[in-house]
Amino acid sequence: MKTTLNVVVVPLLACLAQSVIAQNVLFEDIPVPEGFPQPSGKALGSLHLDADVSAGLMTTNNVYRDASHLGSESSQVTLSSTLTSSGERHLLIGTLEHYSQDFRDDAYQDMDLDATRATVFGRFVTSELTNLRLLLIDEEDILGKTQSEQLNSFTSGLEKNLRTEAIFEFDNTRFFTNVMARNDKIESISSTGFQNDTLDRSERDYIVLAGQTVSWGRVFVFGGTQSVRYESSSMPSLAERNSDENRYGIGAEYEVGKFSGDVDVFQFSQRFRSASIPDIKNAWVGSAIVNYAVSDKLALVFAANRRFHETNIPASGGIFDENIFLGGAWSLFQNLYLRMGPSYSRTKLQNAPLLIDRYELDVELAWQITAHAEMLLTTNVFSQTEKSLAFPMFDAQQANSVLSLRLSL
């Protein structure tokens, strides 16, 4: 699985805040307006605790987000907590999130799911110029939300991932370099019983990065390797999908006036063990985010990315996703804000004519009732079409809304 390299440069805090239920990852890039009051948490001696609980009702006209177009309602509960310990020579952050959804109609019991994410991140100062960052993530995420998952025939179920990561960095304020080692152990559990372990695999990455601090931010170059090893008990032949990859790229983080953001682009070549799967040569993926702070009440965001995902489809090395998003957040009143934005996605199966286009709109309206209570109304609408017309099962539309109440420390 190809991911952006921002985690090599920054302290990985962004990944700690992502929800297990986010439908549009690019929408999550919109910051909450600066003027909107935020919960402050609670100090526990030298520790700091942030916690919240959210309960809501969801209605949708497409439970599986596919061509079945079956509607229903469900209840949703989210629990989240973060414990932080910081000192002169260390930063420790532990998070725990749990999400549960329960559909009213018994016909959708396969979508009555619980997903949990636990994260431990540590940054330790090892000398005046060096530090060590460690990350452990044990997470579950709901399958079937993206086109790539549905291409792999996963419309419901959970994907489990155990990630371990270590980064050793040298930084003398002008130049910096770091070495990263990461291992992901991924298990897909489909509620439909379709080839439950066809995407179970281990992914191992080694990345070397070097860069320079400049007046407007940081620039860097990087290179490394990734190996993917399949671990299917039901289909031992999937070992033929084992692959090795080389990658190299460039990136930057910037802040110029009211503009800020980051960008990284890298090229990769992937060699498969099976002769029936064409190697991927000099393909590129990456991401870019542009934030524009119009004022403390209005922020605009442009985000784009191109990603690569593993697949269980014969004779194909993987799935490419391209996404473009433009949105903003407006502080309508001191205790009321609106986030919204449209996006466009294109999904293409490598070495096959299948191509899916999706147009999507996300809206979130938040009302801060008190310092510790918030009401949210979120809506997601999309329409997707399979362009070759040979696979009508991927033509789908959806509209869903969630009304929830969140209580925070």
Short mmCIF file of all heavy atoms in Angstrom, two decimals, residues 258-306:
data_model
loop_
_atom_site.label_atom_id
_atom_site.label_comp_id
_atom_site.label_asym_id
_atom_site.label_seq_id
_atom_site.Cartn_x
_atom_site.Cartn_y
_atom_site.Cartn_z
N LYS A 258 -0.61 33.81 4.25
CA LYS A 258 -1.83 33.11 4.63
C LYS A 258 -1.90 31.70 4.05
O LYS A 258 -2.88 30.99 4.29
CB LYS A 258 -3.05 33.92 4.19
CG LYS A 258 -3.19 35.26 4.91
CD LYS A 258 -4.46 35.97 4.49
CE LYS A 258 -4.65 37.27 5.25
NZ LYS A 258 -5.92 37.95 4.89
N PHE A 259 -0.87 31.29 3.30
CA PHE A 259 -0.86 29.96 2.68
C PHE A 259 0.02 29.01 3.48
O PHE A 259 1.09 29.40 3.98
CB PHE A 259 -0.34 30.04 1.24
CG PHE A 259 -1.26 30.71 0.28
CD1 PHE A 259 -1.15 32.07 0.05
CD2 PHE A 259 -2.23 29.99 -0.39
CE1 PHE A 259 -2.00 32.70 -0.84
CE2 PHE A 259 -3.10 30.61 -1.28
CZ PHE A 259 -2.97 31.97 -1.51
N SER A 260 -0.42 27.78 3.60
CA SER A 260 0.39 26.75 4.25
C SER A 260 -0.04 25.39 3.69
O SER A 260 -1.10 25.26 3.08
CB SER A 260 0.22 26.77 5.77
OG SER A 260 -1.13 26.46 6.13
N GLY A 261 0.81 24.39 3.90
CA GLY A 261 0.46 23.06 3.43
C GLY A 261 1.68 22.20 3.24
O GLY A 261 2.78 22.51 3.74
N ASP A 262 1.53 21.12 2.51
CA ASP A 262 2.64 20.22 2.23
C ASP A 262 2.38 19.48 0.92
O ASP A 262 1.24 19.41 0.44
CB ASP A 262 2.84 19.23 3.38
CG ASP A 262 1.60 18.40 3.68
OD1 ASP A 262 1.26 17.52 2.87
OD2 ASP A 262 0.97 18.63 4.72
N VAL A 263 3.44 18.93 0.37
CA VAL A 263 3.35 18.18 -0.88
C VAL A 263 4.43 17.11 -0.88
O VAL A 263 5.52 17.33 -0.34
CB VAL A 263 3.51 19.12 -2.11
CG1 VAL A 263 4.85 19.85 -2.06
CG2 VAL A 263 3.37 18.35 -3.40
N ASP A 264 4.12 15.95 -1.41
CA ASP A 264 5.14 14.94 -1.67
C ASP A 264 4.74 14.13 -2.89
O ASP A 264 3.55 13.86 -3.11
CB ASP A 264 5.40 14.04 -0.46
CG ASP A 264 4.22 13.16 -0.09
OD1 ASP A 264 3.93 12.22 -0.84
OD2 ASP A 264 3.58 13.43 0.95
N VAL A 265 5.70 13.80 -3.70
CA VAL A 265 5.50 13.01 -4.91
C VAL A 265 6.62 11.99 -4.99
O VAL A 265 7.79 12.34 -4.78
CB VAL A 265 5.51 13.90 -6.18
CG1 VAL A 265 5.35 13.04 -7.42
CG2 VAL A 265 4.43 14.96 -6.11
N PHE A 266 6.27 10.74 -5.24
CA PHE A 266 7.34 9.76 -5.44
C PHE A 266 6.98 8.76 -6.53
O PHE A 266 5.82 8.53 -6.84
CB PHE A 266 7.73 9.07 -4.13
CG PHE A 266 6.68 8.19 -3.50
CD1 PHE A 266 6.63 6.84 -3.76
CD2 PHE A 266 5.78 8.73 -2.59
CE1 PHE A 266 5.69 6.02 -3.14
CE2 PHE A 266 4.84 7.93 -1.97
CZ PHE A 266 4.79 6.56 -2.25
N GLN A 267 8.05 8.24 -7.14
CA GLN A 267 7.94 7.28 -8.23
C GLN A 267 8.32 5.91 -7.69
O GLN A 267 9.23 5.79 -6.87
CB GLN A 267 8.86 7.68 -9.37
CG GLN A 267 8.59 7.00 -10.69
CD GLN A 267 9.39 7.62 -11.82
OE1 GLN A 267 10.62 7.62 -11.79
NE2 GLN A 267 8.69 8.18 -12.81
N PHE A 268 7.61 4.87 -8.15
CA PHE A 268 7.93 3.53 -7.67
C PHE A 268 7.85 2.52 -8.82
O PHE A 268 7.12 2.71 -9.79
CB PHE A 268 7.00 3.12 -6.53
CG PHE A 268 5.58 2.84 -6.93
CD1 PHE A 268 5.15 1.53 -7.20
CD2 PHE A 268 4.65 3.86 -7.04
CE1 PHE A 268 3.84 1.27 -7.57
CE2 PHE A 268 3.34 3.61 -7.41
CZ PHE A 268 2.93 2.31 -7.67
N SER A 269 8.61 1.46 -8.67
CA SER A 269 8.57 0.31 -9.57
C SER A 269 8.40 -0.93 -8.71
O SER A 269 9.13 -1.11 -7.72
CB SER A 269 9.85 0.20 -10.39
OG SER A 269 9.98 1.31 -11.27
N GLN A 270 7.43 -1.77 -9.06
CA GLN A 270 7.08 -2.93 -8.25
C GLN A 270 7.20 -4.19 -9.09
O GLN A 270 6.64 -4.29 -10.18
CB GLN A 270 5.66 -2.78 -7.70
CG GLN A 270 5.30 -3.76 -6.61
CD GLN A 270 4.04 -3.34 -5.86
OE1 GLN A 270 3.38 -2.38 -6.24
NE2 GLN A 270 3.71 -4.05 -4.80
N ARG A 271 7.93 -5.17 -8.55
CA ARG A 271 8.18 -6.43 -9.26
C ARG A 271 7.44 -7.55 -8.54
O ARG A 271 7.63 -7.76 -7.34
CB ARG A 271 9.68 -6.73 -9.29
CG ARG A 271 10.49 -5.63 -9.97
CD ARG A 271 11.98 -5.76 -9.72
NE ARG A 271 12.29 -5.70 -8.28
CZ ARG A 271 12.35 -4.59 -7.59
NH1 ARG A 271 12.11 -3.40 -8.19
NH2 ARG A 271 12.65 -4.61 -6.31
N PHE A 272 6.60 -8.29 -9.30
CA PHE A 272 5.78 -9.36 -8.73
C PHE A 272 6.42 -10.71 -9.00
O PHE A 272 7.08 -10.92 -10.03
CB PHE A 272 4.37 -9.32 -9.33
CG PHE A 272 3.59 -8.09 -8.94
CD1 PHE A 272 3.65 -6.94 -9.72
CD2 PHE A 272 2.83 -8.07 -7.79
CE1 PHE A 272 2.95 -5.81 -9.37
CE2 PHE A 272 2.12 -6.94 -7.43
CZ PHE A 272 2.19 -5.80 -8.22
N ARG A 273 6.17 -11.65 -8.08
CA ARG A 273 6.72 -12.99 -8.24
C ARG A 273 6.05 -13.73 -9.38
O ARG A 273 6.66 -14.54 -10.06
CB ARG A 273 6.55 -13.77 -6.94
CG ARG A 273 7.05 -15.21 -7.01
CD ARG A 273 6.94 -15.91 -5.65
NE ARG A 273 7.77 -15.26 -4.66
CZ ARG A 273 7.90 -15.69 -3.41
NH1 ARG A 273 7.23 -16.76 -3.02
NH2 ARG A 273 8.68 -15.06 -2.56
N SER A 274 4.75 -13.44 -9.63
CA SER A 274 3.98 -14.15 -10.65
C SER A 274 4.25 -13.56 -12.03
O SER A 274 4.21 -12.33 -12.21
CB SER A 274 2.49 -14.07 -10.33
OG SER A 274 1.73 -14.61 -11.39
N ALA A 275 4.44 -14.44 -13.01
CA ALA A 275 4.62 -13.99 -14.39
C ALA A 275 3.32 -13.49 -15.00
O ALA A 275 3.33 -12.78 -16.01
CB ALA A 275 5.19 -15.13 -15.23
N SER A 276 2.17 -13.84 -14.38
CA SER A 276 0.87 -13.42 -14.92
C SER A 276 0.50 -12.01 -14.50
O SER A 276 -0.48 -11.46 -14.99
CB SER A 276 -0.23 -14.40 -14.49
OG SER A 276 -0.41 -14.35 -13.08
N ILE A 277 1.25 -11.41 -13.57
CA ILE A 277 0.99 -10.04 -13.12
C ILE A 277 2.07 -9.13 -13.67
O ILE A 277 3.25 -9.27 -13.31
CB ILE A 277 0.95 -9.95 -11.59
CG1 ILE A 277 -0.09 -10.91 -11.01
CG2 ILE A 277 0.65 -8.52 -11.14
CD1 ILE A 277 -0.11 -10.95 -9.50
N PRO A 278 1.72 -8.21 -14.56
CA PRO A 278 2.75 -7.32 -15.12
C PRO A 278 3.39 -6.46 -14.03
O PRO A 278 2.71 -5.95 -13.14
CB PRO A 278 1.96 -6.45 -16.11
CG PRO A 278 0.69 -7.20 -16.36
CD PRO A 278 0.38 -7.95 -15.12
N ASP A 279 4.71 -6.31 -14.09
CA ASP A 279 5.39 -5.41 -13.17
C ASP A 279 4.92 -3.98 -13.39
O ASP A 279 4.53 -3.59 -14.50
CB ASP A 279 6.90 -5.49 -13.37
CG ASP A 279 7.47 -6.83 -12.93
OD1 ASP A 279 6.78 -7.55 -12.19
OD2 ASP A 279 8.61 -7.14 -13.35
N ILE A 280 4.95 -3.19 -12.33
CA ILE A 280 4.62 -1.78 -12.43
C ILE A 280 5.93 -1.00 -12.49
O ILE A 280 6.76 -1.10 -11.59
CB ILE A 280 3.79 -1.33 -11.21
CG1 ILE A 280 2.46 -2.11 -11.16
CG2 ILE A 280 3.52 0.17 -11.26
CD1 ILE A 280 1.64 -1.83 -9.93
N LYS A 281 6.11 -0.24 -13.56
CA LYS A 281 7.38 0.45 -13.79
C LYS A 281 7.17 1.96 -13.81
O LYS A 281 6.36 2.49 -14.56
CB LYS A 281 8.00 -0.01 -15.10
CG LYS A 281 8.32 -1.51 -15.13
CD LYS A 281 8.93 -1.92 -16.46
CE LYS A 281 9.24 -3.41 -16.48
NZ LYS A 281 9.81 -3.83 -17.79
N ASN A 282 7.91 2.64 -12.96
CA ASN A 282 7.96 4.11 -12.93
C ASN A 282 6.58 4.75 -12.82
O ASN A 282 6.29 5.75 -13.48
CB ASN A 282 8.68 4.64 -14.17
CG ASN A 282 10.12 4.17 -14.24
OD1 ASN A 282 10.81 4.07 -13.23
ND2 ASN A 282 10.58 3.85 -15.45
N ALA A 283 5.72 4.18 -11.98
CA ALA A 283 4.43 4.80 -11.68
C ALA A 283 4.65 5.84 -10.58
O ALA A 283 5.63 5.78 -9.83
CB ALA A 283 3.43 3.76 -11.23
N TRP A 284 3.74 6.81 -10.49
CA TRP A 284 3.91 7.84 -9.47
C TRP A 284 2.65 7.96 -8.62
O TRP A 284 1.54 7.72 -9.07
CB TRP A 284 4.24 9.19 -10.10
CG TRP A 284 3.10 9.80 -10.85
CD1 TRP A 284 2.76 9.59 -12.15
CD2 TRP A 284 2.11 10.70 -10.32
NE1 TRP A 284 1.64 10.31 -12.49
CE2 TRP A 284 1.21 11.00 -11.39
CE3 TRP A 284 1.90 11.28 -9.07
CZ2 TRP A 284 0.12 11.85 -11.23
CZ3 TRP A 284 0.81 12.12 -8.90
CH2 TRP A 284 -0.05 12.40 -9.97
N VAL A 285 2.86 8.32 -7.36
CA VAL A 285 1.78 8.64 -6.43
C VAL A 285 2.23 9.83 -5.59
O VAL A 285 3.40 10.22 -5.61
CB VAL A 285 1.44 7.45 -5.51
CG1 VAL A 285 0.84 6.29 -6.28
CG2 VAL A 285 2.68 6.98 -4.76
N GLY A 286 1.31 10.43 -4.86
CA GLY A 286 1.67 11.56 -4.03
C GLY A 286 0.46 12.31 -3.54
O GLY A 286 -0.69 11.90 -3.78
N SER A 287 0.70 13.42 -2.86
CA SER A 287 -0.39 14.22 -2.33
C SER A 287 0.04 15.67 -2.20
O SER A 287 1.24 15.98 -2.13
CB SER A 287 -0.83 13.69 -0.96
OG SER A 287 0.18 13.91 0.01
N ALA A 288 -0.95 16.56 -2.16
CA ALA A 288 -0.69 17.99 -1.98
C ALA A 288 -1.85 18.62 -1.24
O ALA A 288 -3.02 18.29 -1.51
CB ALA A 288 -0.48 18.69 -3.32
N ILE A 289 -1.55 19.51 -0.31
CA ILE A 289 -2.57 20.25 0.43
C ILE A 289 -2.19 21.73 0.44
O ILE A 289 -1.03 22.08 0.72
CB ILE A 289 -2.69 19.75 1.88
CG1 ILE A 289 -3.12 18.29 1.92
CG2 ILE A 289 -3.68 20.60 2.66
CD1 ILE A 289 -3.16 17.72 3.31
N VAL A 290 -3.15 22.58 0.10
CA VAL A 290 -2.97 24.03 0.16
C VAL A 290 -4.04 24.60 1.08
O VAL A 290 -5.24 24.46 0.82
CB VAL A 290 -3.09 24.69 -1.24
CG1 VAL A 290 -2.91 26.20 -1.12
CG2 VAL A 290 -2.08 24.10 -2.20
N ASN A 291 -3.62 25.20 2.18
CA ASN A 291 -4.52 25.87 3.12
C ASN A 291 -4.40 27.38 2.92
O ASN A 291 -3.29 27.91 2.83
CB ASN A 291 -4.15 25.54 4.57
CG ASN A 291 -4.24 24.05 4.86
OD1 ASN A 291 -5.32 23.51 4.98
ND2 ASN A 291 -3.09 23.41 4.97
N TYR A 292 -5.54 28.05 2.88
CA TYR A 292 -5.54 29.51 2.77
C TYR A 292 -6.41 30.08 3.88
O TYR A 292 -7.64 29.89 3.90
CB TYR A 292 -6.07 29.95 1.40
CG TYR A 292 -6.12 31.46 1.23
CD1 TYR A 292 -4.99 32.24 1.43
CD2 TYR A 292 -7.32 32.09 0.87
CE1 TYR A 292 -5.04 33.61 1.27
CE2 TYR A 292 -7.37 33.47 0.71
CZ TYR A 292 -6.23 34.23 0.91
OH TYR A 292 -6.26 35.59 0.77
N ALA A 293 -5.79 30.77 4.83
CA ALA A 293 -6.50 31.35 5.96
C ALA A 293 -6.98 32.73 5.57
O ALA A 293 -6.24 33.72 5.69
CB ALA A 293 -5.60 31.41 7.19
N VAL A 294 -8.20 32.84 5.10
CA VAL A 294 -8.75 34.12 4.69
C VAL A 294 -8.86 35.04 5.90
O VAL A 294 -8.52 36.23 5.85
CB VAL A 294 -10.12 33.93 4.02
CG1 VAL A 294 -10.71 35.26 3.59
CG2 VAL A 294 -10.01 32.97 2.84
N SER A 295 -9.34 34.50 7.01
CA SER A 295 -9.45 35.22 8.28
C SER A 295 -9.58 34.17 9.37
O SER A 295 -9.55 32.97 9.11
CB SER A 295 -10.67 36.15 8.27
OG SER A 295 -11.87 35.39 8.25
N ASP A 296 -9.75 34.62 10.63
CA ASP A 296 -9.93 33.65 11.71
C ASP A 296 -11.32 33.01 11.66
O ASP A 296 -11.61 32.09 12.43
CB ASP A 296 -9.69 34.28 13.07
CG ASP A 296 -10.64 35.43 13.35
OD1 ASP A 296 -11.41 35.83 12.45
OD2 ASP A 296 -10.63 35.94 14.49
N LYS A 297 -12.17 33.47 10.73
CA LYS A 297 -13.50 32.90 10.59
C LYS A 297 -13.69 32.11 9.30
O LYS A 297 -14.72 31.46 9.13
CB LYS A 297 -14.56 34.00 10.66
CG LYS A 297 -14.65 34.69 12.02
CD LYS A 297 -15.80 35.68 12.05
CE LYS A 297 -15.92 36.32 13.43
NZ LYS A 297 -17.06 37.26 13.49
N LEU A 298 -12.72 32.16 8.38
CA LEU A 298 -12.88 31.50 7.10
C LEU A 298 -11.55 30.90 6.66
O LEU A 298 -10.53 31.59 6.60
CB LEU A 298 -13.37 32.49 6.03
CG LEU A 298 -13.45 31.97 4.59
CD1 LEU A 298 -14.40 30.79 4.50
CD2 LEU A 298 -13.88 33.07 3.64
N ALA A 299 -11.55 29.60 6.38
CA ALA A 299 -10.37 28.90 5.89
C ALA A 299 -10.75 28.06 4.68
O ALA A 299 -11.79 27.39 4.68
CB ALA A 299 -9.79 28.00 6.99
N LEU A 300 -9.92 28.11 3.64
CA LEU A 300 -10.14 27.35 2.42
C LEU A 300 -9.05 26.29 2.27
O LEU A 300 -7.90 26.50 2.67
CB LEU A 300 -10.15 28.26 1.20
CG LEU A 300 -11.17 29.40 1.20
CD1 LEU A 300 -11.02 30.24 -0.06
CD2 LEU A 300 -12.59 28.86 1.32
N VAL A 301 -9.41 25.15 1.67
CA VAL A 301 -8.48 24.05 1.50
C VAL A 301 -8.63 23.47 0.10
O VAL A 301 -9.75 23.21 -0.36
CB VAL A 301 -8.73 22.93 2.54
CG1 VAL A 301 -7.85 21.72 2.25
CG2 VAL A 301 -8.44 23.43 3.94
N PHE A 302 -7.48 23.24 -0.55
CA PHE A 302 -7.44 22.45 -1.77
C PHE A 302 -6.55 21.25 -1.49
O PHE A 302 -5.43 21.39 -0.98
CB PHE A 302 -6.86 23.25 -2.95
CG PHE A 302 -6.60 22.39 -4.16
CD1 PHE A 302 -7.64 22.03 -5.01
CD2 PHE A 302 -5.32 21.94 -4.44
CE1 PHE A 302 -7.40 21.22 -6.11
CE2 PHE A 302 -5.07 21.14 -5.54
CZ PHE A 302 -6.11 20.79 -6.38
N ALA A 303 -7.05 20.05 -1.79
CA ALA A 303 -6.28 18.83 -1.55
C ALA A 303 -6.40 17.91 -2.74
O ALA A 303 -7.45 17.82 -3.38
CB ALA A 303 -6.78 18.13 -0.28
N ALA A 304 -5.30 17.23 -3.06
CA ALA A 304 -5.29 16.27 -4.17
C ALA A 304 -4.33 15.15 -3.82
O ALA A 304 -3.30 15.37 -3.15
CB ALA A 304 -4.88 16.95 -5.47
N ASN A 305 -4.64 13.95 -4.26
CA ASN A 305 -3.70 12.85 -4.08
C ASN A 305 -3.90 11.78 -5.14
O ASN A 305 -4.95 11.71 -5.79
CB ASN A 305 -3.77 12.26 -2.66
CG ASN A 305 -5.08 11.56 -2.36
OD1 ASN A 305 -5.64 10.87 -3.21
ND2 ASN A 305 -5.58 11.73 -1.14
N ARG A 306 -2.89 10.98 -5.31
CA ARG A 306 -2.94 9.78 -6.15
C ARG A 306 -2.33 8.65 -5.33
O ARG A 306 -1.20 8.76 -4.85
CB ARG A 306 -2.16 9.98 -7.45
CG ARG A 306 -2.34 8.83 -8.46
CD ARG A 306 -1.68 9.18 -9.79
NE ARG A 306 -2.15 8.31 -10.86
CZ ARG A 306 -1.43 7.32 -11.40
NH1 ARG A 306 -0.19 7.08 -10.95
NH2 ARG A 306 -1.92 6.59 -12.36
#
